[in-house]
Amino acid sequence: MQDLLRSLVDRASELGAEYAEARLHSAKSTHIIVEDGKADKTVSGDSRGVCIRVLCDGAWGVAPSGSVEPVQLEATLSDAISMARRAARKARDKARVVEREGVSDRRSCEVKVDPRSVPLADKVQAMAEVERQARDYSSQIVNTTFGYSDAVVNQLVVNSFGGCVEEEVIRCRVGGTVVAADEQTQQLGYEGVGGVEGYEVVERWQEGDLGVRAAKKAVHLLKAKPPPAGQFTVIFDPVMTGVFTHEILGHNAEGDLVASGNSIILDKVGEEIGSPLVTIVDDPTLPGLHGSHVYDDEGTPCERVEIVKEGHLRTFLHNLETASELGATPTGSARAQNHLCPPIVRMSNTFIVPGNLTPDEIIAGTEHGVYLAFSFGGYVDTARGQFTLRAERAWMVENGKLTQPLRDVSVSGLLLETLKAVEAVGNDLEFWPGTCGKMGQGAPTACGGPTIRIKSLTVGGHK
Amino acid sequence: MTEELKEIAAAGVKAAIGAGADQAEACAVGSKEVKVDAEKNTIRSASAIRDWGVSVRAYRRGALGFAFTTSKESIREAGSQAAALATAGQPDPDFRSLPEPQQYSEALGLFDPALAELAPDQVVEWTLGAVEGAEREAPQAKVSASLEVSVRHTAIANSLGVQADSAATYASIWVFAVIRNGDDAGRYHEMDFARRLEDFDPVPVGQKAAHEAKKFLGSRKAPTRLLPVILGPWATHSLLQAIAGAADAESVQRHRSYLAGKRGQRIAASSLSLVDDPFVPAGINSRASDGEGTASTRVALVEEGRLAAYLHNSYTAHKAAEQNTGHARRNGYRAAPFGTGPTNLVPSLGSATSEDIIADTEEGIYINAGGIMPNLVSGALSATVDFGFFVEKGSLSYPVAATMIGGDMLSLLQTIDAISSDYREEPGMILPTIRIARLQVAGA
């Protein structure tokens, strides 16, 4: 296969491509769902294909193929070249890539328990037990939905720099939701664990008793009140901090959004955009996290990127093209969901570096505010830097103590105001696995941080 | 292509039944797409994307096994795998049967040969035309655009004899314009989409995006108080989706919907009625059959404020002993059908124009896009006004930033006090302007 991809790339170069890349992506996955006491849904997937990408006359042509037959791949290469030339005829500016020395390497993924070695029946039984523990927690539980998934992805990237990298990544996840109900309302609790790890993730779930934890949260929320509305001092737990970091800064630092004029911080490298307490890193080299990997999907080695240091914007995340356009070095941040999509700039494991305070100190030092814990996600409008974060649970904070529990709380703010308003950073770093959506592609990521306090954010309350 | 897909689907079903499944279904999809992207006002890339895949869904004692593959050589293996997965699962006595064979509506105009045979160079020309249109409107704008034209063939077959085939064309354009003024940014996105070439007008989308983007410079927080909230067409779209999404029978049966137990009850102002209509000619969401091959039906979801129906698939309909409405949702071949999804949502209209409604509002918030994304389990809303304006003395005043709305869906729906007579129309979509009498706004 390597020789076949190399021949395609070489042929592209002969036909005049400034850059060419052939990427074989194959993925096998298993997903088990247990709902309301029945482990009755099991899903498997088997996907394989090649994405050919060429840069001709300053424009990109992209063509994927679900077949790996040489005749079909040659036709796919012709499509890619043809599309690039069509685009180039109408392009005003030429795209370029940074020239790099090609890397050759082969990496397998080491996990404690390879999920492929575990019989399906064992997985089904384990998940049935996970769900039962949550369902049995309380008579107020009316729905439980839990899932286990594993995916083994193999990728081979051959490019016209002479590079040839092959990498296997194994990811496993366990997660689920619990709905509790009383006469007034019904509420949702959620838990999840996962990363670049093997079947040992199930053991990790059981050690944390996470099914019961999800159920407890759902029941707790039945007694919580809707939030107040307006500007409040807010405290984020580590999961909220992680989602905050991902949305408020991570996306705005993606080089393609910067290069296209769609980032509010596009002209601020070297400037102070945040509090001196804030240092933000994206690091795919951290082992075992959901966004961890060794090479990106252009064959560039991944690296730790300190995007913000003590409040100052230092750099962005780059692929070969954005690095060229912005006069930077590629950071190994190009990722594609599968063979049907070209790689675009993505985050990996993005977090705020921990500080010195304990979470208790941060809460105790807050006279009046809202403490938000755990997140159902968020999103950002990078052009304005306006973000929205949804919390699972919250509490009012009065005179340094958590008081009234709150539910259904979201917050909103603007990057250029909010990052400077971070006034306390805790020492309790945690990471949270997720799937980031951008331009129709999903990418496994992790986001993290410690407890932090922000002077003021809009809380979308009911009164 | 359709004949080949039908054969493959049939082979998948046969393999699953041969491997011990009680019932089985297969879905084979072949598609091709031309996509052009522009960034920073220049054409950047062009893609020719061909995709092919097949999935098999097998049932054994009610347990589901699902397997998909992108390899034509592996269809029998996928069928056997699905049956093996179903065998490994725990029984579900609530499963009764996959759909039985039935008649489907005649052609809905979802396939346009002119669009299917469109030259890729035309796609490039249109994208460039939209970018240039944006620049003429706002020379300082940074413009991104994406235009795609696709053809998709689908064949669904099951072991009871269902055979549902479809071919559909689709075109869409999205343009995003950003105008910067120091640390301030006015930005907006516009779009157009269609099943037929005659319904697709991509080039003016650029000018519209840039025109609106200029209006969003100078945004600031709105005051925190109870205010009327006016939903523009796209915000109305998200409100209607929030009703239809919670009317999913699977979510209702599993206690994951704020509309559970509410059928027959008043959930909205009596001025609101809502129909799910899969038969709008060339509608974006029109279809003769759902994701399981059940014939589509038109459903009155809300009648003068009363919740009239839930949307069913074969599983939920059997479980509830009700008629299957034909709303099973399937997103391509890589995922099993899950829950239900609406088709074309058609609301009732009022008598005042959208201009009248705004003019009649002394003070309030107008939402252009976004804003109505509630928690579908609890029905609570705590959401950001993604694009909107403060309304003062009957006119749109300043654009708002970091401004949120909060409330409860059932209360919000019952305080609708105006629906416009005019509307934005996209193929299959009727999107009027709707005013909610009062909602908590959070800002400064």
Side-chain angles (χ1 to χ4, degrees):
Chain A
M1 198 65 212
Q2 189 176 317
D3 290 342
L4 176 55
L5 298 189
R6 171 59 56 202
S7 72
L8 292 167
V9 168
D10 289 346
R11 179 77 185 124
S13 298
E14 287 164 13
L15 291 171
E18 295 100 80
Y19 171 82
E21 167 197 288
R23 176 171 52 90
L24 170 69
H25 178 106
S26 60
K28 287 187 195 266
S29 59
T30 300
H31 189 46
I32 295 164
I33 301 163
V34 185
E35 266 191 302
D36 297 328
K38 290 175 236 147
D40 61 344
K41 296 181 186 64
T42 313
V43 168
S44 78
D46 180 7
S47 162
R48 190 172 190 230
V50 174
C51 182
I52 297 178
R53 207 167 62 117
V54 296
L55 185 63
C56 290
D57 303 331
W60 291 98
V62 181
S65 168
S67 165
V68 297
E69 293 302 314
V71 169
Q72 184 56 54
L73 287 176
E74 281 161 21
T76 303
L77 173 62
S78 293
D79 282 346
I81 300 257
S82 161
M83 295 306 282
R85 293 214 162 109
R86 286 179 207 285
R89 279 197 287 272
K90 298 294 181 180
R92 289 175 193 160
D93 302 324
K94 291 189 182 301
R96 291 183 175 81
V97 295
V98 166
E99 292 276 335
R100 286 180 67 88
E101 193 172 325
V103 174
S104 292
D105 195 6
R106 190 172 189 182
R107 294 288 184 117
S108 56
C109 191
E110 289 180 15
V111 297
K112 272 196 207 156
V113 182
D114 191 319
R116 293 168 288 190
S117 69
V118 180
L120 179 63
D122 290 1
K123 294 176 183 174
V124 172
Q125 191 177 353
M127 286 313 300
E129 177 59 18
V130 159
E131 185 271 346
R132 184 198 63 74
Q133 288 166 0
R135 183 163 37 87
D136 285 352
Y137 172 74
S138 163
S139 59
Q140 290 181 303
I141 305 296
V142 294
N143 168 251
T144 46
T145 306
F146 284 86
Y148 161 88
S149 65
D150 59 49
V152 181
V153 175
N154 279 284
Q155 187 145 264
L156 170 62
V157 182
V158 175
N159 65 31
S160 52
F161 297 146
C164 176
V165 297
E166 191 171 359
E167 184 175 356
E168 173 192 67
V169 180
I170 298 173
R171 289 189 176 86
C172 293
R173 281 182 82 169
V174 177
T177 58
V178 177
V179 178
D182 64 14
E183 300 81 27
Q184 310 299 324
T185 183
Q186 44 197 42
Q187 292 291 326
L188 182 80
Y190 174 79
E191 277 292 347
V193 291
V196 174
E197 58 186 308
Y199 191 70
E200 62 270 20
V201 72
V202 175
E203 198 179 301
R204 203 149 71 82
W205 173 279
Q206 295 292 36
E207 282 168 3
D209 211 10
L210 297 181
V212 170
R213 205 158 84 172
K216 273 186 186 169
K217 291 194 284 186
V219 172
H220 157 88
L221 285 167
L222 292 175
K223 297 296 173 224
K225 302 280 182 230
Q231 293 293 312
F232 290 86
T233 295
V234 299
I235 303 170
F236 290 160
D237 86 335
V239 176
M240 276 294 289
T241 299
V243 178
F244 167 75
T245 308
H246 178 102
E247 298 298 346
I248 189 178
L249 193 282
H251 277 300
N252 271 288
E254 287 169 337
D256 47 3
L257 296 179
V258 173
S260 60
N262 289 329
S263 169
I264 195 72
I265 55 172
L266 62 87
D267 54 359
K268 297 198 181 305
V269 172
E271 291 184 25
E272 188 174 24
I273 62 165
S275 151
L277 299 172
V278 173
T279 294
I280 295 175
V281 170
D282 183 88
D283 191 355
T285 71
L286 293 171
L289 297 179
H290 204 232
S292 302
H293 51 289
V294 181
Y295 292 97
D296 80 357
D297 295 351
E298 292 177 329
T300 304
C302 296
E303 59 186 61
R304 182 180 192 277
V305 180
E306 194 172 63
I307 304 171
V308 172
K309 183 179 172 68
E310 294 169 0
H312 287 80
L313 179 62
R314 294 197 59 188
T315 186
F316 300 119
L317 301 175
H318 286 296
N319 61 15
L320 297 174
E321 181 186 357
T322 65
S324 172
E325 184 149 358
L326 298 173
T329 306
T331 55
S333 300
R335 304 174 72 188
Q337 178 172 323
N338 54 35
H339 72 278
L340 294 167
C341 320
I344 55 177
V345 179
R346 308 307 298 264
M347 289 175 264
S348 62
N349 305 310
T350 318
F351 60 101
I352 286 182
V353 170
N356 299 319
L357 296 174
T358 66
D360 286 345
E361 286 169 336
I362 293 175
I363 295 169
T366 307
E367 195 174 314
H368 177 70
V370 180
Y371 174 82
L372 298 106
F374 213 80
S375 177
F376 288 135
Y379 62 94
V380 65
D381 166 5
T382 55
R384 184 69 178 89
Q386 176 168 284
F387 62 91
T388 302
L389 309 172
R390 291 185 287 268
E392 181 196 53
R393 291 164 295 145
W395 286 260
M396 292 303 302
V397 180
E398 308 287 351
N399 299 316
K401 293 193 187 325
L402 302 188
T403 57
Q404 173 65 53
L406 306 172
R407 57 173 172 84
D408 294 309
V409 188
S410 295
V411 295
S412 179
L414 299 170
L415 184 166
L416 292 180
E417 294 174 4
T418 307
L419 215 52
K420 286 180 179 166
V422 175
E423 53 182 27
V425 176
N427 60 8
D428 54 330
L429 173 66
E430 286 179 31
F431 285 92
W432 175 251
T435 302
C436 171
K438 176 183 172 184
M439 296 181 186
Q441 296 195 44
T445 56
C447 57
T451 299
I452 64 173
R453 185 174 66 219
I454 298 168
K455 187 174 170 57
S456 182
L457 271 187
T458 306
V459 174
H462 298 197
K463 55 183 189 302
Chain B
M1 181 187 286
T2 301
E3 285 309 309
E4 185 195 12
L5 293 176
K6 283 164 70 171
E7 285 172 17
I8 286 165
V13 170
K14 188 176 173 185
I17 296 296
D22 301 328
Q23 293 189 1
E25 164 212 87
C27 173
V29 179
S31 65
K32 61 175 185 173
E33 176 185 320
V34 170
K35 184 166 180 263
V36 174
D37 290 298
E39 285 173 15
K40 213 167 167 185
N41 307 46
T42 185
I43 299 294
R44 188 62 93 190
S45 69
S47 305
I49 304 166
R50 290 175 199 272
D51 188 20
W52 186 97
V54 61
S55 57
V56 181
R57 194 162 62 134
Y59 282 92
R60 186 122 198 275
R61 299 164 303 153
L64 161 73
F66 175 90
F68 81 81
T69 182
T70 56
S71 163
K72 292 181 186 178
E73 292 72 35
S74 301
I75 176 58
R76 287 177 185 76
E77 193 180 316
S80 301
Q81 170 78 339
L85 294 173
T87 303
Q90 295 178 345
D92 179 5
D94 288 329
F95 173 80
R96 298 282 189 271
S97 174
L98 289 170
E100 297 194 356
Q102 47 209 278
Q103 297 293 320
Y104 303 123
S105 290
E106 291 303 310
L108 294 169
L110 303 181
F111 182 88
D112 180 5
L115 208 49
E117 289 150 23
L118 196 74
D121 282 332
Q122 178 64 72
V123 181
V124 178
E125 289 288 348
W126 276 338
T127 309
L128 183 60
V131 170
E132 289 173 340
E135 287 177 322
R136 279 192 294 273
E137 177 69 27
Q140 72 277 44
K142 292 287 178 277
V143 184
S144 304
S146 184
L147 199 160
E148 63 176 77
V149 177
S150 64
V151 182
R152 175 188 289 244
H153 295 263
T154 305
I156 295 174
N158 76 19
S159 53
L160 284 77
V162 162
Q163 282 204 337
D165 319 315
S166 65
T169 45
Y170 177 74
S172 73
I173 183 169
W174 170 88
V175 180
F176 189 66
V178 181
I179 299 166
R180 287 183 56 119
N181 181 13
D183 285 343
D184 188 18
R187 78 276 179 248
Y188 202 66
H189 55 87
E190 257 297 350
M191 60 199 88
D192 190 31
F193 30 79
R195 294 277 183 205
R196 301 182 298 205
L197 192 56
E198 67 194 76
D199 297 326
F200 191 51
D201 193 13
V203 173
V205 172
Q207 179 269 332
K208 290 176 191 172
H211 181 73
E212 294 302 308
K214 286 190 278 191
K215 297 180 187 175
F216 282 92
L217 282 161
S219 60
R220 62 182 198 266
K221 294 184 181 73
T224 296
R225 65 173 82 126
L226 280 172
L227 287 169
V229 173
I230 304 170
L231 309 181
W234 283 120
T236 292
H237 176 72
S238 46
L239 178 76
L240 302 181
Q241 292 288 326
I243 299 170
D248 163 37
E250 180 135 3
S251 297
V252 168
Q253 289 172 358
R254 295 197 187 272
H255 307 280
R256 291 197 299 252
S257 164
Y258 71 90
L259 292 181
K262 299 273 189 281
R263 191 167 51 183
Q265 295 181 24
R266 173 112 179 265
I267 62 157
S270 58
S271 55
L272 181 67
S273 295
L274 184 63
V275 170
D276 180 278
D277 185 355
F279 304 124
V280 177
I284 287 297
N285 297 306
S286 295
R287 59 192 189 200
S289 58
D290 72 0
E292 299 180 296
T294 300
S296 297
T297 63
R298 188 180 285 109
V299 173
L301 268 175
V302 179
E303 291 175 324
E304 296 178 355
R306 294 194 181 279
L307 180 65
Y310 296 128
L311 300 178
H312 279 292
N313 59 29
S314 61
Y315 179 90
T316 62
H318 283 304
K319 190 170 174 180
E322 293 177 5
Q323 188 74 26
N324 185 353
T325 61
H327 283 84
R329 175 169 50 183
R330 186 192 291 263
N331 288 343
Y333 64 84
R334 287 174 179 252
F338 65 100
T340 65
T343 64
N344 304 303
L345 293 173
V346 184
S348 47
L349 298 174
S351 52
T353 65
S354 52
E355 268 188 36
D356 293 338
I357 293 171
I358 295 170
D360 181 56
T361 306
E362 178 64 21
E363 208 177 51
I365 296 288
Y366 178 88
I367 304 180
N368 296 63
I372 307 292
M373 285 179 287
N375 176 336
L376 290 180
V377 173
S378 68
L381 179 69
S382 176
T384 301
V385 178
D386 294 329
F387 295 90
F389 290 85
F390 190 71
V391 176
E392 270 178 315
K393 296 188 173 68
S395 296
L396 301 191
S397 174
Y398 56 86
V400 299
T403 295
M404 304 186 76
I405 52 175
D408 175 77
M409 276 298 287
L410 293 175
S411 305
L412 174 167
L413 289 172
Q414 299 202 42
T415 54
I416 289 173
D417 68 357
I419 301 176
S420 68
S421 54
D422 55 317
Y423 49 87
R424 174 167 176 154
E425 184 170 10
E426 299 292 339
M429 295 186 205
I430 300 291
L431 304 174
T433 295
I434 289 179
R435 185 172 65 192
I436 299 159
R438 62 191 167 279
L439 202 54
Q440 181 65 56
V441 174

